[in-house]
């Protein structure tokens, strides 16, 4: 019994990491109708920038706070140079240009930080483990779950209870209408885009102590993040959360129950969802 | 044209210096990944290779070696195209390198029929010196089974009765686990389960680690390399398995290349590998010192593989004067005192015969992570496995 | 509508074909290798164009069809002992069936959802092949034979002959696909791409046409797979991976879809660029990436679209007739 509970925890923890990375991708899609394959790069930048801050200051809180903020800077550059001018270019052009930017980002990481993976230790304050029905479980992983849930709750509050959130929802629903009603999309779009990048950066720095910090990490996370967004239905917060949970569950329990199929479970889930519901599970727009 | 020019120049030079003492320029094609997930390995092997040329190039006297680098990425078709270029266009005398088994499998038939010697400096697939062996392909690195077999033996000898195994789901993963399992079980142990994780796509090992722990085995055998290795061992330590499920690993898991990125999580793990950085021999001290002066870090097993590949190549070139058949004969006869200890090429398979070290990662007095050797299996040799080159 | 013998398209196609033949006759060994690889990608990218350029269905799963073609061919010859002459048609057919099945499964999806669905099927196939010891797993299958055309006096084991044959095959695919797209079938596909709902309202079977196009696209990509297997004499699971599908997608979109010649141009440019840059830096990925960004900045319709627009502007300037309007403009509708 405790075995399955621990595996469920593993699944939820993986889901929360995916959620942090995917939420920006999904919101940008829903709001601006932009497919941004370069999004994975911000996840990698978050991890690397966090590492650099940690090396420079030795402070974990600073690393975790500054990494997402610093990730917003390349985010702003990408918005200004590519996304803003491609908004009306159609998905085809967006796919190519942002894929190109992703390639550039990998080489930038290699040039700046080298090919050898870097060490990002678990913060000492969260290094221990707690007993879950007789099985020790790392505190840090539990913290990741808590962080993911907190971010989801905060985003939900902002979107549903604030003026800014109402503007975002209106713009997702119908950009022209929102603009006509006085929503300044010229300001709203870059702010949301950069926040999405910062969340991916947060995902990256949070993942760093669990995984390894290496140049390919942004490419590796891209496909799972896309799967989350598409399974959930583009552009809705609930959809992204549900998508992340489903993908995390499929990946974890696929690995545990059918070792011969592990790695395929996520894609089987994606295929099944799209065959049955060609627009994802909870699309923002019908 | 670009390729022709050096050839023209070298012809001109040899005409000018005509006579018995004329210097020859040998061309060595270096096939390594400089982009993609193995880029760090490519750089490391090349660093060792260049050092080897410097240390041993004297045996060639007046003759010189020119290195032509090609990026194989991690893509077998790209590796094949680059190999054809080096052989057919650049007319290299010898090929060296190759990190991934897939690339080796892809170039094998071409190299064999072109009769150009290839000195493999990493890729460890057992077929390459087994059923698919070739007279022209000599391996100075290791075979997957050669590294894992002694570990299975060691675990059985130290009284471990049950084990579980984890490895990435590709040929090298299966070959490590199967060789370890065979040796472990013939020594009286029992493998409870072997889990193969999606290769190159697994960063979160938590589900598999939880599963391995639930088997109740006495020990865990693992084979991972590169970024997967770092994620694996950090998570292994974070789940507190060090106390309940001791880790035995093929030594790439704690390679010097990534040991700093792993940190304290590596302490206590027991590894098997063909090289240990702390070996106290004149050859190893010279090698490590020179490498550190050049690159500012400790040389890993990958650097040794490049170093020894260069050593073998210059020795065999000196004896054969570049004739491919004579080169292969020479390569199969030479014996070496290397940083990793004595080694030679097995004439039956063209695979290396070398010591395999079992060692533990410990913290020394200054807090540095170092390898403590527990046992040495000398002259570890692969069975012919369907290959017969001796006759 | 799509006109096969549109002057601009035909001029560019002849130019590319001429360059290919010239290169096959005069190139060095490395150039021949690159040329054969270009032909593989050109055929795969044309297959991609059939869906993307006409029905607006952008696939991230063409590696599935290329891989199926390559593996059926390799499996039947290496494991089954069949002669290449029998294995090649079977491989094309097999890839066509794969296209049919994927087309059926994705028939209700559009846009990014179609892209993701094809990606899912491709990745599942990749995992399957990777985990099939019979198919060589990660190491793939070696010893794949090339067809024996010695009866015709053609020796395909010779690199130059093979490269020339690859160029001719790509040209043949171009002509056949062009012929097909200029027919009523092609017009229907274009109409589906423009407005699926209206086509449906006209009582034309949208699903039927989409599935047929997917099957055809799969078969053509399968042919590219057979060519790839013959070229390398080796197959590996990497063909199925999404990054390979991404390469095909990139080449076709950079060149300009909906023109059939654009993807060929894109394949030639990207393959050449990759090897040329890789010769002087290990960071060739960055150069390729910047090239992709630049290609989009040049205009969303790829290099062919750019050329077509420039040609139109030139024509207008050369013939400033009264009113200046030229209604009949072949390139504009492609």
């Amino acid at each position: 019994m405790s075995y399955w509970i621990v595996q469920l925890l593993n699944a939820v923890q993986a889901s929360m990491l995916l959620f942090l990375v995917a939420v920006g991708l999904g919101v940008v899609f829903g709001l601006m109708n932009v497919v941004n394959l370069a999004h994975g790069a911000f996840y990698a930048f978050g991890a690397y920038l966090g590492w650099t801050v940690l090396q420079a200051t030795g402070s974990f809180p600073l690393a975790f706070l500054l990494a997402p903020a610093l990730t917003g800077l390349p985010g702003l550059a990408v918005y200004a140079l590519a996304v803003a001018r491609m908004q009306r270019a159609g998905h085809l052009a967006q796919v190519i240009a942002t894929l190109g930017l992703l390639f550039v980002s990998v080489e930038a990481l290699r040039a700046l930080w080298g090919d050898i993976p870097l060490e990002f230790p678990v913060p000492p304050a969260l290094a221990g483990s707690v007993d879950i029905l007789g099985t020790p479980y790392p505190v840090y992983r539990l913290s990741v779950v808590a962080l993911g849930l907190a971010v989801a709750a905060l985003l939900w509050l902002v979107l549903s209870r604030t003026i800014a959130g109402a503007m975002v929802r209106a713009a997702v629903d119908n950009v022209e209408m929102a603009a006509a009603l006085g929503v300044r999309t010229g300001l709203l779009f870059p702010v949301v885009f950069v926040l999405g990048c910062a969340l991916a950066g947060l995902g990256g720095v949070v993942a760093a102590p669990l995984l390894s910090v290496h140049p390919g990490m942004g490419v590796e996370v891209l496909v799972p993040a896309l799967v989350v967004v598409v399974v959930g239905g583009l552009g809705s917060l609930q959809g992204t959360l549900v998508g992340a949970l489903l993908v995390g569950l499929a990946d974890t329990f696929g690995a545990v129950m059918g070792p011969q199929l592990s790695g395929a479970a996520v894609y089987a889930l994606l295929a099944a969802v799209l065959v049955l519901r060609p627009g994802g599970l909870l699309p923002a727009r019908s | 044209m670009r390729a022709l020019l050096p050839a023209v120049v070298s012809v001109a030079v040899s005409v000018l210096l005509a006579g018995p003492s004329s210097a020859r320029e040998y061309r060595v094609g270096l096939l390594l990944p400089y982009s993609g997930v193995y880029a760090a390995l490519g750089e490391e092997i090349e660093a060792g290779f260049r050092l080897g040329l410097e240390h041993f190039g004297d045996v060639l006297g007046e003759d010189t070696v020119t290195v032509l680098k090609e990026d194989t990425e991690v893509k077998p078709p790209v590796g094949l195209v680059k190999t054809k270029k080096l052989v057919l266009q650049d007319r290299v005398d010898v090929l060296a390198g190759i990190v991934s088994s897939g690339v080796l499998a892809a170039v094998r038939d071409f190299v064999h029929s072109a009769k150009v010697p290839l000195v493999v400096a990493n890729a460890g697939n057992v077929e390459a010196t087994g059923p698919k062996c070739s007279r022209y392909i000599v391996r100075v690195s290791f075979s997957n089974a050669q590294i894992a077999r002694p570990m299975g033996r060691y675990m059985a000898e130290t009284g471990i009765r049950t084990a579980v195994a984890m490895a990435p789901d590709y040929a090298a993963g299966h070959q490590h686990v199967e060789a370890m399992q065979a040796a472990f079980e013939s020594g009286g142990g029992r493998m409870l389960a072997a889990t193969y994780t999606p290769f190159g796509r697994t960063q979160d090992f938590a589900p598999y680690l939880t599963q391995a722990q639930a088997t109740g085995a006495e020990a865990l055998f693992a084979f991972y390399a590169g970024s997967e290795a770092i994620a694996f061992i950090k998570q292994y330590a974070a789940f507190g398995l060090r106390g309940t499920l001791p880790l035995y690993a093929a030594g790439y898991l704690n390679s010097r290349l990534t040991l700093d990125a792993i940190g304290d999580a590596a302490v206590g793990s027991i590894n098997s590998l063909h090289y240990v950085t702390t070996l106290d021999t004149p050859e190893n001290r010279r090698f490590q010192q020179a490498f550190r002066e050049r690159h500012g870090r400790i040389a890993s097993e990958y650097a040794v593989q490049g170093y020894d590949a260069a050593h073998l190549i210059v020795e065999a070139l000196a004896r054969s004067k570049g004739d491919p058949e004579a080169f292969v004969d020479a390569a199969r006869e030479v014996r070496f005192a290397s940083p990793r200890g004595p080694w030679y090429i097995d004439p039956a398979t063209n695979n290396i015969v070398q010591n395999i070290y079992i060692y533990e990662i410990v913290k020394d007095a200054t807090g540095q992570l170092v390898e403590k050797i527990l046992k040495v299996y000398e002259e570890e040799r692969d069975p012919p496995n369907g290959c017969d080159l001796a006759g | 509508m799509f006109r096969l013998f549109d002057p601009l398209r035909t001029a560019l196609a002849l130019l590319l074909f001429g360059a290919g033949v010239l290169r096959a006759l005069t190139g060095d060994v490395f150039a021949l290798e690159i040329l054969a690889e270009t032909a593989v990608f050109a055929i795969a990218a044309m297959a991609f164009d059939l869906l993307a350029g006409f029905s607006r269905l952008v696939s991230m799963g063409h590696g599935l069809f290329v891989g199926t073609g390559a593996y059926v061919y390799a499996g039947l010859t290496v494991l089954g002992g069949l002669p290449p002459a029998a294995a090649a048609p079977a491989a094309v057919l097999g890839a066509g069936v794969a296209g049919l099945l994927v087309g059926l499964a994705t028939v209700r999806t559009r846009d990014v959802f179609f892209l993701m669905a094809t990606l899912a099927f491709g990745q599942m196939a990749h995992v399957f092949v990777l985990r099939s010891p019979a198919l060589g797993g990660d190491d793939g299958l070696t010893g794949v034979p090339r067809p024996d055309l010695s009866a015709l006096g053609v020796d395909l084991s010779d690199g130059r002959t093979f490269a020339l044959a690859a160029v001719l095959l790509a040209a043949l695919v171009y002509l056949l696909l062009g012929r097909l797209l200029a027919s009523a079938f092609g017009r229907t596909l274009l109409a589906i791409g423009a407005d699926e709902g209206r086509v449906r309202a006209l009582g034309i079977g949208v699903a039927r046409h989409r599935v047929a196009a997917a099957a055809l696209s799969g078969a053509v990509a399968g042919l590219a797979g057979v060519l790839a297997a013959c070229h390398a004499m080796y197959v590996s699971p990497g063909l199925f991976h999404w990054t390979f599908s991404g390469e095909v997608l990139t080449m076709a979109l950079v060149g300009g879809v909906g023109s059939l010649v654009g993807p060929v141009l894109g394949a030639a440019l990207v393959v050449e660029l990759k090897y040329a840059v890789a010769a002087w830096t290990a960071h060739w990925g960055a150069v390729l990436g910047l090239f992709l960004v630049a290609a989009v900045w040049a205009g969303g319709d790829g290099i062919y679209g750019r050329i077509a627009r420039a040609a139109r502007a030139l024509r207008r300037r050369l013939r400033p007739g009264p009113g200046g309007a030229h209604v009949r403009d072949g390139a504009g509708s492609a």
Side-chain angles (χ1 to χ4, degrees):
Chain A
M1 189 58 212
S2 76
Y3 171 75
W4 292 108
I5 288 173
V6 169
Q7 291 292 21
L8 187 66
L9 263 178
N10 288 333
V12 172
Q13 182 266 314
S15 302
M16 287 306 132
L17 218 45
L18 275 173
F19 172 75
L20 287 178
V21 184
V23 70
L25 189 64
V27 168
V28 164
F29 198 116
L31 188 65
M32 292 173 233
N33 200 18
V34 168
V35 188
N36 177 24
L37 298 190
H39 194 73
F42 301 113
Y43 170 80
F45 269 114
Y48 273 98
L49 290 167
W51 181 86
T52 298
V53 172
L54 185 65
Q55 292 297 308
T57 65
S59 156
F60 282 95
L62 268 183
F64 282 90
L65 286 172
L66 279 180
L70 291 172
T71 308
L73 294 177
L76 195 61
V78 167
Y79 180 83
L81 292 174
V83 173
R85 58 164 76 194
M86 286 194 324
Q87 224 169 318
R88 292 177 198 287
H91 292 161
L92 301 191
Q94 292 163 1
V95 163
I96 306 205
T98 54
L99 200 59
L101 287 174
L102 184 67
F103 291 161
V104 174
S105 80
V106 172
E107 299 305 326
L109 294 174
R110 291 181 60 198
L112 290 171
W113 283 282
D115 282 311
I116 299 174
L118 304 176
E119 185 205 12
F120 197 114
V122 174
L126 303 172
S129 57
V130 291
D131 196 80
I132 305 236
L133 301 173
T135 311
Y137 199 82
V139 172
Y140 188 76
R141 281 179 184 260
L142 291 175
S143 319
V144 172
V145 174
L147 178 72
L149 291 174
V151 169
L154 189 68
L155 286 176
W156 179 79
L157 273 177
V158 169
L159 279 175
S160 62
R161 295 274 189 274
T162 67
I163 301 285
M167 286 186 202
V168 171
R169 278 183 293 128
V172 166
D173 220 37
N174 187 331
V175 177
E176 284 80 16
M177 189 67 81
L181 291 174
V183 174
R184 290 166 63 194
T185 54
L187 188 63
L188 185 69
F189 286 178
V191 168
V192 171
F193 186 86
V194 169
L195 279 177
C197 295
L199 279 176
L202 179 64
V205 71
V206 164
L210 289 172
L211 316 175
S212 72
V213 181
H214 60 282
M217 61 190 296
V219 180
E220 283 166 19
V221 84
L222 174 65
V223 171
L226 276 172
V227 174
V228 164
V229 169
V230 168
V231 164
L234 297 172
S236 76
L237 184 65
Q238 301 93 310
T240 305
L241 191 58
V242 169
L245 282 169
L246 284 177
V247 170
L249 287 170
D251 209 15
T252 302
F253 286 96
V256 171
M257 301 207 283
Q260 287 314 308
L261 293 174
S262 64
V266 170
Y267 298 108
L269 169 77
L270 173 62
V273 166
L274 288 181
V275 168
L276 298 173
R277 291 188 60 119
L281 292 176
L282 298 168
R285 274 180 298 237
S286 50
Chain B
M1 194 58 222
R2 191 175 38 126
L4 264 177
L5 200 59
V8 172
V9 170
S10 82
V11 167
V13 168
S14 41
V15 169
L16 282 175
L17 301 175
S21 69
S22 73
R24 228 198 112 159
E25 182 215 22
Y26 295 111
R27 309 177 132 229
V28 177
L30 204 51
L31 288 157
L32 289 171
Y34 293 103
S35 56
V37 290
Y38 292 141
L41 272 56
E43 297 288 345
E44 182 82 351
I45 291 172
E46 189 191 334
F49 192 85
R50 301 239 178 230
L51 193 60
L53 287 182
E54 249 172 66
H55 282 183
F56 308 110
D58 294 350
V59 296
L60 291 172
E62 299 269 284
D63 297 345
T64 56
V65 170
T66 303
V67 177
L68 302 166
K69 287 168 39 167
E70 289 291 345
D71 181 6
T72 59
E73 307 170 36
V74 196
K75 295 179 183 161
V78 174
L80 182 59
V81 167
K82 299 288 174 75
T83 306
K84 285 183 178 173
K85 173 182 181 283
L86 286 171
V87 170
L88 298 174
Q89 188 164 316
D90 300 332
R91 304 269 165 200
V92 296
D93 298 290
V94 191
L95 293 163
I98 303 199
V99 163
S100 79
S101 300
V103 173
L104 182 55
V107 305
R108 187 265 169 207
D109 288 352
F110 173 76
V111 168
H112 182 72
S113 58
K115 298 190 189 327
V116 175
L118 163 62
V119 178
V120 177
N122 192 67
N125 37 343
V126 292
E127 306 85 13
T129 50
K132 292 253 175 191
C133 67
S134 159
R135 174 177 153 75
Y136 302 96
I137 300 178
V138 173
R139 179 155 56 195
V140 300
S141 46
F142 56 85
S143 86
N144 296 327
Q146 189 176 34
I147 301 290
R149 199 185 314 114
M151 184 54 108
R153 225 180 289 155
Y154 177 80
M155 289 169 73
E157 283 167 12
T158 50
I160 295 167
R161 283 158 307 174
T162 56
V164 285
M166 277 176 70
D169 191 9
Y170 75 119
H174 286 267
Q175 290 174 1
H176 273 93
V177 171
E178 282 158 15
M180 174 270 165
Q181 180 171 359
F184 181 56
E185 294 192 335
S186 72
R190 196 157 60 85
M191 182 72 88
L192 299 182
T195 302
Y196 296 103
T197 57
F199 174 46
R201 287 201 306 282
T202 309
Q203 278 284 307
D204 189 0
F205 294 91
Y208 308 102
L209 288 167
T210 306
Q211 203 175 24
Q213 190 179 24
T215 61
E218 290 174 33
L220 170 63
F221 172 76
F223 160 72
Y224 286 102
S227 70
E228 280 190 320
I230 297 169
F232 171 84
I233 194 162
K234 285 175 80 171
Q235 292 167 23
Y236 163 85
F239 270 91
L241 297 183
R242 272 191 287 196
T244 53
L245 189 65
L247 178 61
Y248 295 76
Y252 325 96
L253 192 70
N254 296 307
S255 169
R256 263 296 158 186
L257 205 54
T258 47
L259 192 57
D260 289 334
I262 292 169
D264 289 353
V267 173
S269 67
I270 293 175
N271 303 266
S272 73
L273 204 62
H274 54 298
Y275 176 62
V276 175
T277 61
T278 48
L279 283 174
D280 193 16
T281 62
E283 292 83 16
N284 192 41
R285 279 197 299 270
R286 178 188 181 207
F287 166 70
Q288 285 291 354
Q289 193 182 344
F291 193 93
R292 182 180 280 270
E293 278 166 14
R294 189 87 26 102
H295 302 284
R297 60 172 195 269
I298 301 174
S300 70
E301 65 275 13
Y302 302 108
V304 178
Q305 290 161 198
Y307 186 76
D308 283 351
H311 194 177
L312 176 104
I313 285 172
V314 292
E315 282 287 342
L317 281 176
R319 294 183 183 205
S320 64
K321 293 292 165 202
D323 174 65
E325 299 297 332
F327 180 98
V328 173
D329 288 334
R332 287 149 56 88
E333 281 163 12
V334 198
R335 291 185 171 249
F336 294 89
S338 145
R340 62 176 121 168
W343 64 263
Y344 59 91
I345 297 297
D346 185 350
T349 62
N350 272 6
N351 194 37
I352 189 171
V353 178
Q354 59 186 335
N355 294 348
I356 300 297
Y357 304 92
I358 308 286
Y359 59 92
E360 184 178 354
I361 304 283
V362 296
K363 240 184 190 174
D364 72 5
T366 62
Q368 296 293 309
L369 296 181
V370 292
E371 300 95 333
K372 188 178 124 199
I373 295 176
L374 303 174
K375 178 150 189 161
V376 182
Y377 290 92
E378 286 179 0
E379 284 197 54
E380 186 66 29
R381 175 197 310 268
D382 269 5
N385 189 17
C387 174
D388 185 18
L389 295 171
Chain C
M1 64 173 277
F2 180 90
R3 290 195 307 161
L4 179 55
F5 294 113
D6 165 81
L8 182 65
R9 188 196 323 281
T10 307
L12 188 57
L14 281 175
L15 191 70
L16 284 168
F17 179 69
V21 171
L22 189 69
R23 199 126 197 262
L25 294 175
T26 61
D28 55 27
V29 174
F30 194 42
L32 296 175
E33 292 296 318
I34 295 176
L35 190 60
E37 188 176 323
T38 304
V40 169
F41 277 113
I43 295 173
M46 282 191 275
F48 172 91
D49 194 10
L50 189 60
L51 286 179
F54 296 89
S55 310
R56 296 273 137 201
L57 294 170
V58 178
S59 147
M60 192 62 134
H62 262 59
L64 167 60
F65 311 133
V66 177
T68 303
Y71 266 82
V72 171
Y73 179 79
L76 289 179
T77 50
V78 176
L79 307 173
L82 251 61
V92 172
L93 191 70
V97 171
L100 181 83
L101 294 176
V102 171
L104 279 172
T106 58
V107 75
R108 290 168 61 208
T109 58
R110 259 189 299 274
D111 199 41
V112 178
F113 296 99
F114 179 80
L115 184 138
M116 291 304 291
T118 48
L119 178 134
F121 286 109
Q123 287 297 94
M124 283 195 282
H126 179 248
V127 172
F128 173 77
V129 174
L130 207 58
R131 284 167 184 265
S132 299
L135 297 176
D138 182 53
D139 283 345
L141 292 172
T142 55
V144 181
R146 290 178 179 177
D148 181 8
L149 299 181
S150 55
L152 305 172
V154 176
D155 177 17
L156 285 183
S157 65
D158 172 59
R160 195 171 299 285
T161 313
F162 187 85
L164 194 60
V167 172
L168 289 174
L169 187 67
L172 191 67
V173 169
Y174 174 78
L175 286 173
L176 288 176
L177 279 183
R179 188 83 199 77
L180 183 87
L181 287 169
S183 70
F185 177 74
R187 283 196 294 277
T188 311
L189 290 188
L190 264 177
I192 292 174
D195 190 339
E196 199 175 310
R198 189 173 296 173
V199 176
R200 193 174 284 118
L202 287 172
I204 298 171
V206 168
R208 200 157 40 87
H209 278 86
R210 275 185 59 164
V211 173
L216 194 64
S217 183
V220 174
L223 184 64
V226 173
L227 185 62
C230 289
H231 174 222
M233 303 174 79
Y234 166 82
V235 294
S236 59
L239 290 171
F240 286 90
H241 198 253
W242 74 266
T243 48
F244 182 88
S245 303
E247 277 185 76
V248 174
L249 172 148
T250 310
M251 291 171 187
L253 296 186
V254 163
V257 291
S259 66
L260 208 55
V261 74
V264 179
L265 179 66
L269 281 177
V270 174
V271 172
E272 292 285 345
L273 183 76
K274 197 177 84 167
Y275 281 109
V277 178
W280 55 265
T281 172
H283 292 291
W284 54 267
V287 178
L288 186 63
L290 289 174
F291 174 73
L292 299 184
V293 176
V296 169
W297 276 358
D301 45 359
I303 296 170
Y304 181 80
R306 184 89 191 159
I307 296 174
R309 270 182 284 136
R312 273 200 301 280
L314 192 68
R315 230 177 305 165
R316 261 197 295 277
R317 204 177 311 164
L318 290 178
R319 285 187 294 165
H326 295 278
V327 181
R328 292 179 49 203
D329 194 342
S333 58

